[in-house]
Amino acid sequence: MKTLRTQVLIVGAGPSGLLLGQLLHKAGIVNLILERQTGDYVLGRIRAGVLEQTTVDLLDEAGVGARMHAEGLVHHGFDLVFDGQRHRIDLQALTGGKSVIVYGQTEITRDLMEARAAAGLPTLYSAADVQLRNFDSAHPSARCIVNGEEVLVQCEFIAGCDGYHGVSRASVPGSAIRSFEKIYPFGWLGLLSDTPPVSHELIYGSHERGFSLCSMRSAARSRYYLQVPLTEQAGDWSDERFWNELRLRLDPAAAEALVTGPALEKSIAPLRSFVAEPMRFGRLFLAGDAAHIVPPTGAKGLNLAASDIYYLSQALIEHYRDRRGSGIEHYSARCLSRIWKAERFSWWFSSLMHSFPQEQAIEARLHRAELEYLVSSHAAQTVMAENYVGLPW
Ligand code: RFL
Ligand code: PHB
């Protein structure tokens, strides 16, 4: 058996784990990452696209912002489409000059992986059967199997950045954790294509056939989503079927302007609201999707992961540099206060924009009234814009 030592063991090399590793390294804190998959597998997952300004600032602080600023697209607003008409939400005017950046999670992950490799920081990929031990004591550790060899990692803290299906949350005794969950009765079918985006800003669509979203990764690469029943499989959707359905859910001008092409990737993601409380168990911290999930409608998942990592990196830096424990003590409460507000916004926006299978006629009318109110009320749009660009940390 091989034994390794580190100060902070990070489980998971998604954006949460990689960003934490980079921020700790900058502060001189030694860290090691264990990742179940290979690096290529992690980079193959197509996920988030929209970054709040505070996320952008944190990536800058971690020293990985150069390509994001060169290639990311600054968006000052987005469109809502319903009843065949488009309505612009002017984020910049409604929030006193704030905006978001469209830059894919895949690219952020690549930038972070490259920075980690350049700094020579250790990451054990394909780490199987990770087991966390003694995190309620001063000497936590983890065991896993890498390339057929058993590895023991001794550490001072464990950061559980291993996503919704990870081992970290599952290692906590059931009596010490409380979960809140809502599963939505539909999923999002996503399609990535090397075609120019239908519009220079995102279009969120509400239609009786279901929700749609027109997003992008660059001026030449588009990302589109359709609400589909949970019984559907991505394989049931030919490219042609996808494009035809998307056209039906857009306004006539967008349907006309849509440039179609072969799908580079097509997959279905379920929609879930989930929060686990608390987020610290002795010397084990949960961060990112390991502790909470939002439905993607508000584009909040990756941004919440970034705010957890901000609080966690601050807490650990305070511990090692200033020998103070208040950041660690308050980590869970600080994160959860912001998380619940993003959960609320994502749930509200999802409920407003999707068609619900068992919806009564009156509920459909109430949703329509809320959309009409939203596009006619400056106050309602201000609330929406303030949440979309991200609440302060
Ligand atoms: P991740 O990205 O799931 O990474 C966790 C990592 O941990 C590894 N792992 C393990 N490693 C070792 N041992 C184990 N036992 C392990 N179990 C798991 C996994 O292999 C993985 O590499 O979590 P993280 O880092 O917290 O990052 C969270 C984000 O990925 C997520 O919140 C966002 O992608 C959500 N999301 C969006 N967020 C936004 O802010 N803006 C968006 O526009 C946005 N769009 C989206 C989204 C998520 C989507 N899907 C598919 C869920 C759009 C979609 C379609
Ligand atoms: C994306 O581009 O993947 C994306 C954009 C906005 C969302 C969700 C996903 O609300």
Side-chain angles (χ1 to χ4, degrees):
M1 184 174 66
K2 185 152 98 182
T3 301
L4 302 172
R5 283 187 186 81
T6 191
Q7 288 179 304
V8 180
L9 169 66
I10 300 171
V11 188
S16 300
L18 289 165
L19 180 56
L20 178 64
Q22 216 51 32
L23 291 165
L24 294 183
H25 168 66
K26 291 230 142 199
I29 301 169
V30 179
N31 64 87
L32 179 144
I33 299 185
L34 293 180
E35 164 60 51
R36 182 168 57 181
Q37 307 288 354
T38 64
D40 283 345
Y41 182 96
V42 173
L43 286 173
R45 295 189 292 228
I46 312 295
R47 287 188 172 175
V50 177
L51 306 181
E52 298 170 1
Q53 187 58 48
T54 42
T55 304
V56 170
D57 293 343
L58 195 63
L59 290 165
D60 279 336
E61 199 179 314
V64 293
R67 203 160 66 92
M68 169 180 67
H69 288 293
E71 296 176 17
L73 307 168
V74 179
H75 281 208
H76 299 304
F78 61 83
D79 281 349
L80 293 175
V81 60
F82 63 96
D83 286 348
Q85 292 211 329
R86 253 194 281 167
H87 308 264
R88 184 160 189 268
I89 303 296
D90 188 336
L91 294 174
Q92 198 175 33
L94 290 160
T95 61
K98 292 191 182 154
S99 52
V100 292
I101 291 195
V102 173
Y103 186 65
Q105 176 169 333
T106 314
E107 304 312 317
I108 294 174
T109 309
R110 194 189 308 281
D111 295 343
L112 284 162
M113 279 181 178
E114 282 175 7
R116 188 166 179 87
L121 305 180
T123 309
L124 299 184
Y125 284 101
S126 306
D129 195 21
V130 174
Q131 293 176 29
L132 308 185
R133 308 258 166 93
N134 301 327
F135 49 79
D136 50 355
S137 78
H139 303 287
S141 63
R143 274 168 194 271
C144 63
I145 309 284
V146 183
N147 294 328
E149 187 184 15
E150 194 174 351
V151 178
L152 171 68
V153 185
Q154 295 178 331
C155 58
E156 292 163 9
F157 292 98
I158 301 176
C161 300
D162 48 351
Y164 180 72
H165 299 287
V167 68
S168 300
R169 195 180 68 252
S171 306
V172 175
S175 58
I177 195 163
R178 182 163 181 208
S179 298
F180 302 82
E181 183 168 50
K182 175 181 171 64
I183 296 174
Y184 297 78
F186 39 72
W188 278 19
L189 170 64
L191 179 147
L192 187 73
S193 65
D194 274 337
T195 51
V198 64
S199 166
H200 69 290
E201 292 181 340
L202 271 60
I203 306 176
Y204 288 87
S206 170
H207 191 280
E208 59 190 16
R209 299 181 69 87
F211 169 81
S212 64
L213 170 59
C214 304
S215 182
M216 64 193 73
R217 291 292 176 269
S218 70
R221 180 168 283 192
S222 299
R223 179 73 167 158
Y224 295 103
Y225 296 98
L226 291 175
Q227 174 188 349
V228 295
L230 281 173
T231 46
E232 299 278 318
Q233 315 266 328
D236 299 336
W237 286 79
S238 66
D239 294 356
E240 198 191 352
R241 181 176 174 207
F242 186 99
W243 295 121
N244 288 340
E245 184 62 34
L246 178 60
R247 267 194 213 95
L248 291 174
R249 298 186 190 187
L250 296 175
D251 58 292
E256 177 74 26
L258 185 68
V259 179
T260 64
L264 303 173
E265 192 261 6
K266 227 185 269 150
S267 55
I268 295 184
L271 268 70
R272 189 192 303 273
S273 296
F274 173 85
V275 182
E277 291 181 349
M279 288 170 59
R280 180 177 71 90
F281 308 87
R283 287 176 170 248
L284 167 67
F285 303 89
L286 302 181
D289 279 15
H292 44 78
I293 298 286
V294 283
T297 325
K300 291 285 162 244
L302 176 59
N303 292 297
L304 277 184
S307 62
D308 291 355
I309 295 306
Y310 169 74
Y311 294 126
L312 183 51
S313 59
Q314 290 295 309
L316 290 168
I317 291 168
E318 213 178 276
H319 168 85
Y320 281 108
R321 193 187 53 200
D322 310 332
R323 301 277 145 208
R324 284 200 299 127
S326 73
I328 288 178
E329 258 159 54
H330 296 119
Y331 168 72
S332 180
R334 279 186 185 143
C335 291
L336 286 165
S337 160
R338 191 167 189 276
I339 288 160
W340 276 111
K341 293 181 194 110
E343 291 281 350
R344 183 208 68 81
F345 174 66
S346 306
W347 158 78
W348 168 79
F349 196 20
S350 301
S351 308
L352 180 66
M353 298 301 291
H354 290 79
S355 298
F356 284 75
Q358 249 70 74
E359 192 170 54
Q360 294 173 14
I362 186 170
E363 289 165 325
R365 284 285 194 280
L366 290 169
H367 278 151
R368 163 92 68 84
E370 185 159 7
L371 279 166
E372 284 175 10
Y373 170 63
L374 181 60
V375 298
S376 64
S377 159
H378 190 268
Q381 287 177 39
T382 303
V383 171
M384 177 179 218
E386 177 180 55
N387 282 275
Y388 193 87
V389 300
L391 298 177
W393 286 356

